């Protein structure tokens, strides 16, 4: 559809719609905070400001070129006078509404600005998306404040350090292979660190927001995004202290390990998507088995309270954690390449089994990188599955040693079923 045929009605309607959306939120906010005094605008005022911005651009060819700037300055003066009145009457509401007015006016300016964003369909999408984002930010004040209370200074400091590395250091890394065997690319190593830290950070933030006390699924799923080993250690210790929690602890450990298998698909999909054809069926089979067993354990023990179980997780954006993973990834990549060259696939599988005892992400990412460089897909997929199996066996041993024989038996049987289903599907997939 040719959207240009509907100009200027499209731009005017878009500006008014954006103003109505933001103004409606401000009107509701006024109803909630009426004790702070009158607000500067609401559901009628904001569309008018957006319309003013839109008209200032539409009239520019027949008026003066600086009309939008003059209109913006007028809005700024109006906002400044209103804020000064708030200060004089000691009404402390911040600058949120005033800032929203300025943004709304600029959205009205952007709506008909053909020389800024082309084509028209993209401009419509950008203005509509920005209006939705602004409305979301304005309406999310209580939730954002709650999130702020859950974020510690250490979290912010660790994240800031990591972002400095991401913005300043990563672009400076050489994007070429260096060192022995000509297999380590510093820039690619940096990207792998960013990838794994971002996935882990998603689970870390979700765990901090929802809390580990919000239920089994939140704890296991989001904890599994960060570290399924950490979830295993936490719930194994809890089951040791409270034997009645063994079934629910087993469910949490199995579910977190299922998320670990799902992470493999995400990581491989980012690094080398063609490898997914060999991994998809085995990983999905293992994940499906894990979810089924976890649900069975949970149904058996849902009457048991989770109590104050808390998963001890570290911010994955901690600089030293990121650097250690980068070094481990490079080391595994180097050893894997050497094993492939001198020992064949058997050496590669042995490397995967050893590396998987501590970290399945490193062997997954390094093997996917080797597959992208020419390693046979069947060999690469088998290597990743061997690493995942090694990691799964290690967690079963941890559950048995730290959580007791009963927990070890439940987790061991569940993991055995997961690995058996993955192995069967791997044979069917790779054998065909």
């Amino acid at each position: 559809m040719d959207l240009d045929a509907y100009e200027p009605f499209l731009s005017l309607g878009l500006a008014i719609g954006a103003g109505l959306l933001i103004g409606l939120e401000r009107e509701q906010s006024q109803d909630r905070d009426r004790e702070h005094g009158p607000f500067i605008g609401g559901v009628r005022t904001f569309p008018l400001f957006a319309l003013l911005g839109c008209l200032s651009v539409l009239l520019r060819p027949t008026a003066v070129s600086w009309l939008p700037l003059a209109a913006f300055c007028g809005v700024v003066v109006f906002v400044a006078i209103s804020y000064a009145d708030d200060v004089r009457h000691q009404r402390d509401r911040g600058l949120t509404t005033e800032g929203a007015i300025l943004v709304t006016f600029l959205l009205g300016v952007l709506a008909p600005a053909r020389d800024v964003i082309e084509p028209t369909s993209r401009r419509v999408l950008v203005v509509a998306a920005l209006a939705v984002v602004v409305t979301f930010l304005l309406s999310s004040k209580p939730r954002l404040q709650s999130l702020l209370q859950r974020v510690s200074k250490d979290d912010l400091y660790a994240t800031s350090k990591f972002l400095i590395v991401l913005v300043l250091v990563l672009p400076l890394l050489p994007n070429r292979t260096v060192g022995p065997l000509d297999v380590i690319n510093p820039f690619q190593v940096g990207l792998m660190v960013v990838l794994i830290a971002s996935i882990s950070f998603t689970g870390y933030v979700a765990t901090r927001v929802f809390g580990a006390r919000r239920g089994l699924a939140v704890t296991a799923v989001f904890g599994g995004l960060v570290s399924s080993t950490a979830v295993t250690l936490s719930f194994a210790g809890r089951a040791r202290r409270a034997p009645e929690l063994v079934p629910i602890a087993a469910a949490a450990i199995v579910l977190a390990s299922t998320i670990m298998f799902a992470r493999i698909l995400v990581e491989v999909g980012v690094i080398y998507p063609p490898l997914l054809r060999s991994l998809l069926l085995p990983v999905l089979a293992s994940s499906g088995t894990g979810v089924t067993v976890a649900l069975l354990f949970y149904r058996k023990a849902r009457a048991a309270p989770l109590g104050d179980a808390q998963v001890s997780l570290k911010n994955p954006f901690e600089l030293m954690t990121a650097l250690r993973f980068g070094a481990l990834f490079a080391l595994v990549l180097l050893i894997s390449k050497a094993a492939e060259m001198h020992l064949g696939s058997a050496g590669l599988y042995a490397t995967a089994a050893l590396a998987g005892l501590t970290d399945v992400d490193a062997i997954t990412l390094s093997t996917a990188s080797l597959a992208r460089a020419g390693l046979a897909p069947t060999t690469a997929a088998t290597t990743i599955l061997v690493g995942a199996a090694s990691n799964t066996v290690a967690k079963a041993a941890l559950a048995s040693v730290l959580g007791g024989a009963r927990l070890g038996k439940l987790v061991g049987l569940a993991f055995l079923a997961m690995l058996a289903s993955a192995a069967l599907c791997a044979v069917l997939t790779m054998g065909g």
Side-chain angles (χ1 to χ4, degrees):
M1 184 174 62
D2 186 11
L3 296 180
D4 291 332
Y6 296 93
E7 287 284 9
F9 302 104
L10 179 63
S11 298
L12 291 169
L14 184 61
I16 294 173
L20 277 172
L21 184 62
I22 299 173
L24 178 62
E25 193 287 328
R26 289 290 84 190
E27 189 79 37
Q28 292 180 338
S29 177
Q30 177 181 355
D31 293 338
R32 294 193 302 266
D33 302 328
R34 194 174 295 276
E35 66 273 10
H36 293 295
F39 266 43
I40 187 175
V43 72
R44 294 177 299 175
T45 308
F46 276 80
L48 290 176
F49 280 117
L51 185 59
L52 174 63
C54 184
L55 289 174
S56 68
V57 175
L58 291 176
L59 293 173
R60 184 174 55 181
T62 58
V64 289
S65 59
W66 44 265
L67 182 59
L69 178 60
F72 181 73
C73 291
V75 174
V76 171
V77 170
F78 173 80
V79 169
I81 292 174
S82 174
Y83 185 73
D85 183 68
D86 283 344
V87 173
R88 185 169 60 253
H89 291 87
Q90 297 182 344
R91 295 193 294 264
D92 183 17
R93 289 195 305 264
L95 287 168
T96 303
T97 300
E98 288 78 3
I101 287 178
L102 297 179
V103 172
T104 302
F105 173 85
L106 292 176
L107 287 177
V109 170
L110 183 60
R114 295 188 177 186
D115 52 343
V116 177
I117 300 178
E118 285 292 348
T120 302
S121 57
R122 180 177 299 175
R123 187 171 70 252
V124 170
L125 181 61
V126 169
V127 174
L130 287 175
V132 170
V133 170
V134 171
T135 304
F136 173 78
L137 290 175
L138 292 173
S139 61
S140 300
K141 179 180 178 180
R143 294 174 179 83
L144 291 176
Q145 288 179 334
S146 175
L147 174 61
L148 183 62
Q149 293 174 355
R150 294 178 182 271
V151 176
S152 67
K153 292 182 179 180
D154 290 338
D155 290 336
L156 183 60
Y157 183 56
T159 303
S160 300
K161 288 192 298 182
F162 187 87
L163 292 177
I164 289 175
V165 174
L166 173 63
V167 175
L168 299 180
V169 177
L170 182 60
L172 300 178
L173 294 176
N175 191 7
R176 63 181 185 276
T177 55
V178 297
L181 302 182
D182 200 33
V183 71
I184 297 177
N185 184 314
F187 184 78
Q188 294 297 326
V189 172
L191 286 180
M192 298 304 104
V193 173
V194 171
L195 170 64
I196 195 62
S198 299
I199 295 174
S200 299
F201 191 65
T202 301
Y204 179 79
V205 170
T207 304
R208 294 298 298 267
V209 171
F210 294 105
R213 297 187 181 92
R214 290 294 181 90
L216 171 69
V218 170
T219 305
V221 172
F222 291 130
L225 280 175
V226 184
S227 172
S228 57
T229 302
V231 175
T232 301
L233 293 173
S234 174
F235 278 93
R238 180 66 176 166
R240 170 75 74 175
R241 295 189 299 269
E244 68 275 9
L245 295 182
V246 165
I248 204 167
I253 293 171
V254 173
L255 189 56
S257 296
T258 300
I259 299 301
M260 181 268 290
F261 276 92
R263 285 179 63 156
I264 291 176
L265 293 181
V266 174
E267 293 164 7
V268 171
V270 172
I271 304 304
Y272 188 57
L275 187 56
L276 289 174
R277 285 178 293 183
S278 300
L279 281 172
L280 187 61
L281 187 58
V283 171
L284 288 181
S286 178
S287 300
T289 303
V291 170
T292 302
V293 174
L295 288 176
L296 291 175
F297 287 165
Y298 180 69
R299 289 185 62 183
K300 180 180 179 182
R302 58 184 174 182
L306 188 59
D308 59 351
Q310 191 76 25
V311 180
S312 178
L313 300 174
K314 294 182 179 180
N315 191 328
F317 277 177
E318 183 66 45
L319 185 57
M320 289 307 300
T321 301
L323 293 178
R324 281 195 296 268
F325 177 80
L328 177 62
F329 169 76
L331 180 62
V332 170
L333 186 64
L334 182 63
I335 294 176
S336 299
K337 183 64 176 180
E340 179 199 5
M341 292 177 59
H342 299 290
L343 301 176
S345 58
L348 196 58
Y349 301 154
T351 302
L354 291 175
L357 291 174
T358 57
D359 194 303
V360 73
D361 296 312
I363 191 63
T364 299
L365 294 173
S366 61
T367 305
S369 299
L370 291 175
R372 186 176 57 187
L375 181 66
T378 300
T379 303
T382 304
T383 301
I384 292 174
L385 291 175
V386 168
S390 174
N391 187 264
T392 302
V393 171
K395 284 180 291 190
L398 286 175
S400 180
V401 173
L402 300 179
R406 185 183 173 206
L407 178 66
K409 180 180 179 180
L410 291 177
V411 171
L413 290 175
F415 284 170
L416 180 61
M418 292 172 62
L419 295 179
S421 61
L424 177 61
C425 290
V427 170
L428 294 176
T429 300
M430 301 175 196

